[in-house]
Amino acid sequence: MSEDEAIGSRETELLAARRTSMEKLERAGMPAFALTLERALGVAEQTPIAAVRAAHGELGLDDVTGTIVTLAGRVVLKRDIGKLKFLVVRDRSGDLQMVASSADLPEDQFTLLDEVDLGDIIGVTGRVGTTRKGELSVFADRWAMLTKALRPLPEKWHGLQDPDLQQRRRYLHLIADEAPRRAFLARSAVLKTMRRVLDDRGFVEFEGPMLQTVAGGANARPFTTHHHALDTPMKLRISLELYLKRMLVGGVERVYELGRNFRNEGIDRDHNPEFTMLEAYQAYGDYHSMMELSEVLLTECARAVNPIVGRDADDLRISVQGRTIDLTPPFARITILGSVSDAVGESVTLDHPGLPTLATHHGVHVERAWGPGKIVQELFEKLVEGTIEQPTFVCDFPREVSPLARPHRDDPGLTEHFDLVAAGIELVTAFSELTDPIEQRAKFELQQQMKEVLGDEVHPFDEDFLRALEHGMPPVGGLGMGIDRTLLLLTDAASLRDLIMFPSQRPE
RNA sequence: GGGCCCGUAGCUCAGCCCGGUUAGAGCAGGGGGCUUUUAACCCUCGUGUCGCAGGUUCGAAUCCUGCCGGGCCCA
């Protein structure tokens, strides 16, 4: 937006005042946008504010040391007493007060401080000490503008409250509030921890294609686009699975991908059109191996996130939505049929003749095309999933609803498929993977028939994936873990939008 | 898709129920003062699409309808 498009005279006036300050600085020979700290101030390195605090925690009142430091950061508060000015500077590690006295600074340097506004990024060199009230400060010998802010900061006490603006102008939210910074750091900690755990176990990180001609591996509407050079429609991936399995066919026995999936569906507190998933595959493992891996991944991520959100690193009893969730392994193991049986108060099996009636009785709308397995899954989601607080492996999903999992070793009507649920949130889905290409084709065909009957969009399935399976994939355990949902649990956030710095939004 | 709530200055919010001077405050900003402040303080300065459109009325930020944007809950 150019300045003449600014709406409202108040805003125009604020912007004009900052332009005027900028011009005054430059007329006085101080660039409003410095090249480097060294060029501006003659010092190459800033001292992190946390380091200044750590080194000078024991000073009493009115005690100025001989230690010279250089701070660089954003001015977040300014108190001007006339011949004495107090500015609070914020860097990545914390806040520290700068004291500027007309007695210590050259006159032109002191006068130019009038042109420093809240939000400007400055550099300061001076002695570390305390004021008469004991506030740790840097007593400035010289300072320089590093970057002039041409727009004002949000309200200094209440910050940026409008949830829409918090997301659209996340840069301001990050300045005004520590919550988004914690969310950002927690995500980084989770990603780093997952890579460490998997790398230590011999897994190799892989990057599969995001642009695909067939978007498979899940049931979701894809985003579509067009590749001009190939003159062909393309889709953004909805899952990582099918390309990781191709790598297994190719002989990579332990492989994982941490990456973005895209689903062209609704937005709410736990859905965003783009979201981050971990998928990991371990040859010669099965879903029991994946349970152990899930436990390690979740607890290690908790230890990494804990210090960021103010818990002791090893505290695995975390508070989520007012309840205490104990992440200490081993997690509980239940079966989906057992849990649904408990919820309805009678034994539920896949050959239970009254299943549709039972479901309707419990408020589940039953589609004609649904078989018993789908009804059981719906009953589970409606009656059980949200009530599971402590981390629990819900095991042995019906074959009908789990097209990529292998049949259960003890019951061919079920699959070796578990979901890990905690605080009512589904965190992990894992299988003993289906390796039989004939069975896999039959499953895909069944899924398509179901969609046709329901009138849903039918997409062709991935023939090359089936060809790869026909070349032979070793027995393999695989898991998919939602990173955003894991963060929702570990940071006790209210919504995914608090954890995704720039969530999908309507254009401004 | 259904229900409830919100939208007033750059930011944070009053005012709306029960219509009636010229729509207010704090922060930020302009001017002035102040050598120890801690959201500094004191004096002073306001050209706002009261989300948009329509309606009711002598009169609408305020009541009604529709729309747009956002939030929470449910599906």
Side-chain angles (χ1 to χ4, degrees):
Chain A
M1 184 164 77
S2 77
E3 41 203 315
D4 15 331
E5 283 171 314
I7 296 173
S9 64
R10 197 46 38 169
E11 183 170 22
T12 310
E13 189 183 317
L14 288 173
L15 300 183
R18 284 173 182 257
R19 295 292 177 113
T20 305
S21 286
M22 177 182 78
E23 286 156 11
K24 283 186 186 168
L25 286 167
E26 298 204 313
R27 235 179 286 129
M30 183 182 279
F33 301 95
L35 177 68
T36 60
L37 186 61
E38 179 154 35
R39 280 280 277 261
L41 209 56
V43 181
E45 292 274 328
Q46 74 179 125
T47 314
I49 281 169
V52 177
R53 288 199 178 280
H56 299 277
E58 302 304 314
L59 294 178
L61 306 183
D62 203 8
D63 182 1
V64 178
T65 71
T67 310
I68 307 276
V69 298
T70 295
L71 308 183
R74 197 178 288 273
V75 177
V76 293
L77 287 174
K78 187 181 179 188
R79 295 182 282 270
D80 187 343
I81 314 296
K83 298 228 163 47
L84 200 58
K85 301 178 201 303
F86 301 91
L87 286 77
V88 177
V89 175
R90 173 171 301 167
D91 72 10
R92 64 183 181 276
S93 67
D95 291 359
L96 195 68
Q97 178 170 269
M98 156 195 178
V99 179
S101 162
S102 61
D104 295 341
L105 281 162
E107 192 186 339
D108 55 333
Q109 280 254 308
F110 186 78
T111 308
L112 268 185
L113 272 174
D114 287 341
E115 308 315 323
V116 174
D117 292 308
L118 295 186
D120 292 352
I121 296 169
I122 66 169
V124 190
T125 295
R127 292 152 294 141
V128 180
T130 53
T131 62
R132 288 177 203 167
K133 298 281 172 59
E135 179 82 23
L136 188 66
S137 306
V138 167
F139 292 80
D141 293 325
R142 66 179 187 282
W143 71 278
M145 181 63 67
L146 300 178
T147 295
K148 180 74 196 166
L150 297 180
R151 288 180 179 275
L153 248 26
E155 216 269 349
K156 68 183 175 188
W157 187 243
H158 301 93
L160 194 62
Q161 295 295 323
D162 183 334
D164 190 47
L165 286 183
Q166 286 178 349
Q167 292 161 38
R168 289 188 193 278
R169 314 218 180 128
R170 190 68 89 182
Y171 40 90
L172 291 181
H173 192 206
L174 281 159
I175 295 169
D177 189 344
E178 60 183 14
R181 171 173 289 265
R182 280 201 301 266
F184 155 71
L185 292 173
R187 178 179 295 267
S188 169
V190 161
L191 295 174
K192 194 185 292 182
T193 301
M194 288 180 159
R195 290 194 165 99
R196 175 176 56 77
V197 167
L198 291 163
D199 293 348
D200 285 351
R201 291 174 172 229
F203 287 79
V204 183
E205 184 167 4
F206 167 70
E207 288 194 299
M210 291 197 190
L211 285 171
Q212 306 179 346
T213 52
V214 179
N219 254 323
R221 179 190 298 163
F223 285 90
T224 58
T225 184
H226 190 267
H227 193 297
H228 289 290
L230 298 177
D231 190 23
T232 189
M234 302 287 279
K235 299 174 179 71
L236 293 180
R237 69 180 172 193
I238 57 173
S239 151
L240 311 176
E241 182 149 354
L242 302 187
Y243 284 88
L244 283 158
K245 285 181 169 171
R246 285 170 164 90
M247 297 303 283
L248 279 145
V249 170
V252 181
E253 294 182 342
R254 295 190 175 199
V255 64
Y256 71 97
E257 179 161 13
L258 256 171
R260 212 71 61 83
N261 286 327
F262 306 87
R263 297 187 181 175
N264 202 345
E265 294 176 352
I267 300 176
D268 62 30
R269 69 179 290 276
D270 48 20
H271 292 87
N272 191 62
E274 51 181 305
F275 60 98
T276 307
M277 287 284 290
L278 166 72
E279 289 197 21
Y281 293 85
Q282 180 181 336
Y284 314 114
D286 63 4
Y287 78 150
H288 293 294
S289 338
M290 293 301 106
M291 289 185 205
E292 189 269 339
L293 183 58
S294 302
E295 287 172 341
V296 172
L297 285 168
L298 188 56
T299 53
E300 287 303 301
C301 286
R303 284 186 232 277
V305 169
N306 276 345
I308 295 165
V309 296
R311 288 189 292 257
D312 289 339
D314 290 324
D315 184 4
L316 293 179
R317 289 169 54 85
I318 65 172
S319 174
V320 182
Q321 308 290 303
R323 297 163 300 183
T324 299
I325 307 295
D326 189 349
L327 300 177
T328 310
F331 301 157
R333 287 154 169 76
I334 63 175
T335 64
I336 186 167
L337 283 170
S339 69
V340 170
S341 299
D342 290 346
V344 301
E346 61 180 285
S347 174
V348 171
T349 56
L350 293 176
D351 53 11
H352 189 301
L355 210 45
T357 315
L358 185 70
T360 308
H361 181 70
H362 283 92
V364 172
H365 174 71
V366 179
E367 294 280 350
R368 194 175 294 273
W370 291 0
K374 177 69 176 167
I375 295 174
V376 165
Q377 185 190 33
E378 292 288 328
L379 277 167
F380 171 74
E381 286 176 6
K382 170 101 181 173
L383 303 178
V384 183
E385 190 172 74
T387 69
I388 296 175
E389 296 199 354
Q390 300 309 317
T392 302
F393 294 113
V394 181
C395 301
D396 304 343
F397 278 60
R399 287 177 76 161
E400 181 187 341
V401 297
S402 196
L404 293 159
R406 58 158 291 147
H408 195 281
R409 64 195 75 187
D410 299 324
D411 182 344
L414 302 175
T415 54
E416 298 204 348
H417 164 167
F418 74 78
D419 280 3
L420 172 60
V421 180
I425 306 168
E426 180 192 319
L427 296 173
V428 175
T429 292
F431 318 139
S432 301
E433 302 291 343
L434 180 57
T435 56
D436 175 347
I438 300 163
E439 169 81 0
Q440 185 67 79
R441 178 178 294 278
K443 286 279 188 71
F444 281 164
E445 284 170 351
L446 192 70
Q447 293 287 309
Q448 287 202 334
Q449 284 163 21
M450 175 92 86
K451 283 189 168 187
E452 265 170 44
V453 172
L454 292 172
D456 291 349
E457 271 180 54
V458 179
H459 298 280
F461 52 74
D462 188 338
E463 283 290 347
D464 180 67
F465 169 64
L466 288 171
R467 175 163 44 214
L469 279 192
E470 286 169 9
H471 283 286
M473 182 172 75
V476 56
L479 69 73
M481 187 163 181
I483 304 309
D484 307 277
R485 289 174 172 195
T486 300
L487 283 163
L488 202 61
L489 180 85
L490 296 180
T491 64
D492 195 16
S495 166
L496 276 195
R497 276 172 308 214
D498 297 332
L499 299 168
I500 297 174
M501 285 294 109
F502 299 99
S504 300
Q505 286 190 302
R506 225 175 273 279
E508 207 168 343

